[in-house]
Amino acid sequence: MTANRKILFLPGDGIGPEVMREVHRVIDWLTKHRGLGFEVQEGLVGGAAYDAHGTSLADETLADAMASDAVLLGAVGGPKWDDVPRQLRPEAGLLRLRKEMDLYANLRPATVLDALVDASTLKPEIVRGLDLMIVRELTAGVYFGEPRGIETLPDGVRRGFDTQVYTAPEIERVARVAFELARKRTNKVHSVEKANVMESGVFWREEVSRLHAAEYADVELNHMYADNCAMQLVRWPKQFDVIVTDNLFGDLLSDCAAMLTGSLGMLPSASLGAVDGMGQRRALYEPVHGSAPDIAGRRIANPIATLLSFAMMMRYSFDDAANAELIENAVQKVLAGGLRTADIMQEGTAKVSTDVMGDAILRELDKVAR
Ligand code: IPM
Ligand code: MG
């Protein structure tokens, strides 16, 4: 068997390492029962890397990420590193990975599984059957725009500033990802900005409209202001299929969309780069939830978002929808059977630890293998 899938594991901080452990077990299962070859390497990112190397992403780790087919990341950050200078902070390591790997398209699905309809804080009829995809631009905008800083003016007044900036190619390439995805779904895109107050928003709208008219006129395109989008997401989220938006609005709206599903502990994400001449693209997969330092090490974290991120890797990096679905279905069966980690506990269900949730998912996989 050849180890043809080269994966870099970056568990990171907090609950990252413990949720990643469950993915190792699924990889072992796929190797044994599905005859797949994986070559898994592990590295440090975030606070863990800072503690070991004094930087939240070592150059060697970045090189390993560049050389792998796909990266799976746990989570970064925690109060332990609150006093570390911003450019060395755990989050800076993640931002550098995204930027250097040029992972401009961040796919954040929000789907409500039937078994979890009641875990949402919204009424069941609002969220039942929800399936939307946020495509967040990830390598430009105010997160990276220059100039930025904190300075003291000649008159002694201090000020802080960032720059929101997008080039036409940066907008076009992420909008293209959204239109392509929409064609495989229900063919509807909402492009979200603040064209009513921001020049960059006017420009975003122009560029998305231009691409739409030129190449994607078959897809329904709606423009929406970001504040309205936030409101519509909690009012009637099923009006959306694919939402495409900039880095900052995407950060906010994806947290909001995530919570429609009841728990951040359920949601995976994929960050994708451009397809090269060989049909390959750089990719990083990570759960949408953070490092949750308050529950780290207690074996109560939900491993599902990370397992589903791995399933996205199978689908998008290894073009293996069959094994992706196998994992997704196993997760759904376990939830339907009434097992829950603490974050998605409901009346009448059984609370289990991280590893017991992992055991149950492996048992479901075993049933398929038989
Ligand atoms: C996210 C996170 C990150 C972001 C942080 C950890 C830098 O909130 O992935 O949504 O703001 O992009
Ligand atoms: Mg965020």
Side-chain angles (χ1 to χ4, degrees):
M1 183 194 316
T2 49
N4 49 357
R5 294 170 190 75
K6 208 165 172 277
I7 306 177
L8 177 66
F9 266 43
L10 299 175
D13 309 321
I15 59 172
E18 58 203 273
V19 291
M20 292 282 267
R21 214 168 299 150
E22 304 308 315
V23 180
H24 272 294
R25 300 171 70 198
V26 168
I27 287 187
D28 289 344
W29 189 92
L30 290 171
T31 306
K32 190 161 163 222
H33 296 282
R34 309 287 285 186
L36 303 184
F38 293 93
E39 181 188 326
V40 180
Q41 204 188 342
E42 204 155 310
L44 296 175
V45 69
Y50 177 80
D51 290 346
H53 309 298
T55 164
S56 50
L57 180 71
D59 291 341
E60 302 79 67
T61 312
L62 177 61
D64 288 341
M66 295 286 204
S68 57
D69 294 325
V71 179
L72 187 71
L73 186 137
V76 297
K80 183 177 174 199
W81 302 281
D82 272 354
D83 298 327
V84 173
R86 194 173 52 80
Q87 67 279 12
L88 298 175
R89 286 177 63 86
E91 292 80 2
L94 176 58
L95 294 179
R96 183 167 174 229
L97 258 182
R98 291 172 177 172
K99 185 71 176 172
E100 302 260 354
M101 293 175 76
D102 201 20
L103 306 171
Y104 62 87
N106 181 212
L107 277 44
R108 297 191 165 186
T111 40
V112 172
L113 305 179
D114 281 343
L116 288 186
V117 166
D118 294 321
S120 177
T121 48
L122 272 75
K123 296 195 187 88
E125 63 268 28
I126 304 289
V127 296
R128 185 175 288 113
L130 179 72
D131 177 9
L132 65 83
M133 176 75 89
I134 295 191
V135 180
R136 168 189 176 192
E137 198 292 325
L138 202 61
T139 51
V142 75
Y143 271 59
F144 298 97
E146 298 284 348
R148 58 192 292 149
I150 300 173
E151 63 181 18
T152 307
L153 299 172
D155 64 0
V157 171
R158 275 163 40 84
R159 65 171 194 170
F161 53 100
D162 293 279
T163 303
Q164 163 79 337
V165 53
Y166 272 101
T167 64
E170 284 166 346
I171 298 168
E172 186 188 314
R173 64 183 186 170
V174 73
R176 190 178 289 285
V177 170
F179 286 128
E180 294 287 341
L181 273 171
R183 276 184 178 160
K184 294 186 193 138
R185 298 168 52 98
T186 66
N187 219 30
K188 181 160 72 168
V189 170
H190 281 78
S191 170
V192 172
E193 26 60 8
K194 282 282 287 180
N196 51 347
V197 280
M198 297 167 75
E199 295 302 324
S200 57
V202 173
F203 186 59
W204 179 282
R205 190 175 283 217
E206 279 175 15
E207 287 304 310
V208 172
S209 301
R210 194 189 43 71
L211 176 68
H212 176 252
E215 296 179 44
Y216 295 99
D218 56 300
V219 180
E220 179 187 330
L221 171 65
N222 307 275
H223 299 282
M224 194 178 257
Y225 298 141
D227 52 344
N228 184 26
C229 182
M231 187 268 276
Q232 297 295 340
L233 272 172
V234 287
R235 190 185 73 86
W236 185 238
K238 284 185 258 186
Q239 70 188 281
F240 297 108
D241 181 25
V242 176
I243 294 174
V244 62
T245 188
D246 76 16
N247 206 341
L248 182 60
F249 294 143
D251 182 45
L252 307 179
L253 295 172
S254 62
D255 265 29
C256 178
M259 219 35 220
L260 301 173
T261 70
S263 169
L264 279 177
M266 292 296 300
L267 293 176
S269 78
S271 303
L272 307 175
V275 179
D276 67 18
M278 311 279 286
Q280 307 286 326
R281 71 195 322 173
R282 293 219 170 91
L284 179 143
Y285 300 83
E286 56 179 317
V288 171
H289 64 68
S291 58
D294 50 323
I295 61 163
R298 292 169 50 198
R299 308 299 294 145
I300 60 173
N302 187 347
I304 292 178
T306 310
L307 284 166
L308 294 177
S309 298
F310 175 70
M312 284 186 97
M313 178 191 294
M314 294 302 289
R315 177 173 284 117
Y316 291 105
S317 285
F318 302 124
D319 197 21
D320 188 347
N323 282 311
E325 275 165 29
L326 201 69
I327 298 166
E328 290 158 357
N329 290 340
V331 166
Q332 293 201 33
K333 290 232 180 69
V334 169
L335 293 171
L339 296 191
R340 299 282 190 278
T341 43
D343 57 312
I344 48 175
M345 248 323 261
Q346 293 156 247
E347 249 185 62
T349 61
K351 184 155 92 183
V352 298
S353 66
T354 310
D355 21 314
V356 171
M357 179 57 87
D359 293 343
I361 291 167
L362 287 171
R363 256 199 316 279
E364 282 303 329
L365 289 172
D366 277 339
K367 284 187 195 159
V368 183
R370 248 185 261 130

